[in-house]
Amino acid sequence: MFPGARMAFTRKGLQESIRLLACRKNRNMSTAGKVIKCKAAVLWEIKKPFSIEEVEVAPPKAHEVRIKVAATGICRSDDYVVSGNFVIPLPVIIGHEAAGIVESIGEGVTTVKPGDKVIPLFLPQCGKCNVCKHPEGNLCAKNDLSIPRGTMQDGTTRFTCKGKPINHFLSTSTFTQYTVLDEISVAKIDPASPLEKICLIGYAFSTGYGSAVQVAKVTPGSTCAVFGLGGVGLAVVMGCKAAGAARIIGVDINKDKYAKAKQVGATECISPQDFKKPIHEVLKEMSGGGVDFSFEVIGRLDTMVAALASCQEAYGISVIVGVPPDSQNLSVNPMLLLTGRTWKGAIFGGFKSKDSVPRLVSEFMAKKFSLDPLITHVLPFEKINEAFDLLRTGKSIRTVLTF
Ligand code: CND
Ligand code: ZN
């Protein structure tokens, strides 16, 4: 090719790029400020499948952001809504573990702009409440978890379907092509990050990983026991390993979970059903008096007490990660604590969301941890009901739906 031809080719390429950019800008301009009609999975009633509907998504108001969802994970907590164990206002668009791209912003938004890659935050960080100002707490007073409202911060919804308002879920609502978030419920992330993977940082991964590194503060050379080796439990194992634990004992009644647990860092795995003695006594013997750190990642009252009893009586730390059954109380012997154990619990691994999510994405990009072991299935969004069946039958760890 002679030089003139190369120049013409390059100029043509440049002109084409400019045209495409202008198109993209116009496209944004054409939807900004307008209602977007798109597909969403609406839950009209509990214990019923999702129905894929055309919904109307209103433009973001002041301090709000509208995003195009690129990928969303499916979580046990979403299924708690479908089964009626987690009671929230219906009809609703649920889903809370996602990643996407900002389509448009409302007045006064300063932390994100159209085109930014973002992760919705099911736990907001307003930066102003007592919890946000406290160095440790992360359950921001503006959360929609303690008493679910099912709305934006201003008390109204941005979704309509067949003329009816549709509720939001945990300030996120990600089972939809477009969603609207309060600015305090969205974090800007590395533009190079793969959205179909890092969506897990919006919930399961950070919950487990943070429980080890942030809540328990696992120390190098320590011995840890992780009760429950589902997606969140595996992320706890990854956190223990990253913190330098020397022994990580996985506890699960399903032995199919052991191979993956060992792949991510468990040094041994045991089943309570293989022993005549209670599991806390087995763990005490295995660790010469009790483990340094234990984690309950199942959501059962009996295993919460077993995990507490299995940590060292004078300095052991036990963390509740599993969500207990609704309105049930525990009975424990206070001597378990009087001797010096610490019993803790945390939502979202104790991480302050808006501060921590971008940092965790950067750590993922720097290959500090991998999310691949947690993602067992990737399906198109329309197969959402199939994806929930995989979760309910225990066939998946995490299914990611792509749009
Ligand atoms: P998942 O159901 O995938 O894993 C639970 C594991 O526990 C499975 O491997 C079971 O085989 C195992 N198991 C069940 N019963 C027993 C038993 N009696 N003894 C030993 N092992 C048993 O759940 P997941 O990993 O998605 O979530 C685990 C819990 O964490 C669940 O309660 C979920 O709601 C909770 C959670 C908490 C938070 C938070 O912010 N604290 C966030 N997300 C999820
Ligand atoms: Zn706050």
Side-chain angles (χ1 to χ4, degrees):
M1 192 194 294
F2 58 91
R6 179 187 288 271
M7 202 173 154
F9 177 76
T10 313
R11 193 179 301 143
K12 203 173 163 204
L14 191 68
Q15 280 165 351
E16 179 60 10
S17 305
I18 291 168
R19 192 186 64 79
L20 283 172
L21 273 174
C23 266
R24 204 173 297 159
K25 202 170 165 209
N26 281 341
R27 247 201 331 264
N28 278 341
M29 282 171 72
S30 69
T31 53
K34 296 182 184 159
V35 168
I36 291 181
K37 283 188 180 173
C38 69
K39 292 258 174 353
V42 177
L43 187 71
W44 294 100
E45 286 176 69
I46 60 163
K47 296 180 181 155
K48 290 277 162 66
F50 294 92
S51 56
I52 306 279
E53 307 274 7
E54 185 178 86
V55 297
E56 286 158 6
V57 185
K61 293 190 181 172
H63 306 292
E64 294 176 0
V65 177
R66 187 163 59 184
I67 73 162
K68 188 171 196 305
V69 181
T72 179
I74 291 202
C75 175
R76 182 90 29 203
S77 312
D78 293 313
D79 199 36
Y80 286 166
V81 175
V82 182
S83 64
N85 287 329
F86 182 4
V87 181
I88 57 159
L90 297 174
V92 63
I93 295 173
I94 63 171
H96 57 287
E97 181 180 82
I101 295 174
V102 175
E103 172 270 336
S104 62
I105 56 174
E107 239 181 85
V109 170
T110 57
T111 56
V112 296
K113 59 179 188 317
D116 283 348
K117 283 190 180 174
V118 291
I119 287 185
L121 308 170
F122 82 96
L123 214 52
Q125 187 182 345
C126 77
K128 293 178 184 154
C129 71
N130 287 347
V131 179
C132 284
K133 284 189 194 150
H134 190 277
E136 294 288 329
N138 73 339
L139 190 67
C140 170
K142 299 268 184 179
N143 78 78
D144 193 28
L145 186 64
S146 315
I147 307 168
R149 300 176 306 271
T151 64
M152 303 294 293
Q153 292 292 341
D154 76 349
T156 62
T157 86
R158 299 290 165 272
F159 299 117
T160 319
C161 181
K162 297 173 182 163
K164 293 197 182 86
I166 305 292
N167 288 291
H168 294 245
F169 176 56
L170 295 182
S171 324
T172 45
S173 291
T174 60
F175 294 161
T176 167
Q177 290 173 318
Y178 286 86
T179 190
V180 183
L181 310 164
D182 290 288
E183 191 181 8
I184 58 171
S185 299
V186 62
K188 179 179 168 173
I189 54 163
D190 185 334
S193 51
L195 300 181
E196 71 292 352
K197 292 188 182 179
I198 52 87
C199 56
L200 264 54
I201 291 176
Y203 195 72
F205 171 78
S206 311
T207 296
Y209 192 81
S211 298
V213 304
Q214 175 81 14
V215 183
K217 297 190 167 52
V218 167
T219 48
S222 59
T223 297
C224 303
V226 182
F227 287 65
L229 300 171
V232 184
L234 291 177
V236 173
V237 171
M238 289 159 100
C240 294
K241 188 179 176 196
R247 275 180 89 186
I248 305 166
I249 307 167
V251 182
D252 202 300
I253 47 173
N254 182 351
K255 293 186 180 176
D256 293 344
K257 308 275 176 164
Y258 296 176
K260 192 144 261 182
K262 287 183 181 167
Q263 186 195 329
V264 300
T267 52
E268 56 232 279
C269 292
I270 56 171
S271 169
Q273 292 169 341
D274 287 348
F275 302 92
K276 289 209 176 77
K277 285 182 197 167
I279 194 68
H280 70 272
E281 285 182 20
V282 176
L283 284 161
K284 266 182 163 174
E285 273 172 24
M286 285 174 76
S287 57
V291 299
D292 300 295
F293 302 96
S294 65
F295 301 86
E296 202 281 354
V297 206
I298 303 167
R300 290 175 57 97
L301 303 185
D302 58 343
T303 43
M304 287 175 185
V305 180
L308 175 66
S310 62
C311 73
Q312 214 284 340
E313 63 180 359
Y315 52 75
I317 295 175
S318 189
V319 180
I320 292 178
V321 186
V323 176
D326 212 12
S327 16
Q328 283 190 25
N329 293 325
L330 261 177
S331 162
V332 282
N333 184 338
M335 278 308 289
L336 283 171
L337 298 172
L338 196 69
T339 55
R341 290 182 180 89
T342 304
W343 208 7
K344 309 176 86 170
I347 302 289
F348 198 50
F351 286 127
K352 286 185 185 286
S353 61
K354 198 151 172 150
D355 291 347
S356 306
V357 162
R359 183 173 45 76
L360 287 164
V361 172
S362 302
E363 288 178 11
F364 168 81
M365 295 302 282
K367 300 199 164 34
K368 198 171 163 194
F369 55 84
S370 165
L371 293 165
D372 292 340
L374 303 181
I375 302 169
T376 50
H377 299 76
V378 179
L379 289 175
F381 170 60
E382 290 72 19
K383 297 205 167 167
I384 184 166
N385 288 310
E386 210 172 290
F388 271 81
D389 286 342
L390 289 168
L391 173 85
R392 289 169 194 145
T393 51
K395 290 186 185 133
S396 60
I397 294 177
R398 242 6 185 217
T399 299
V400 172
L401 300 174
T402 53
F403 291 80

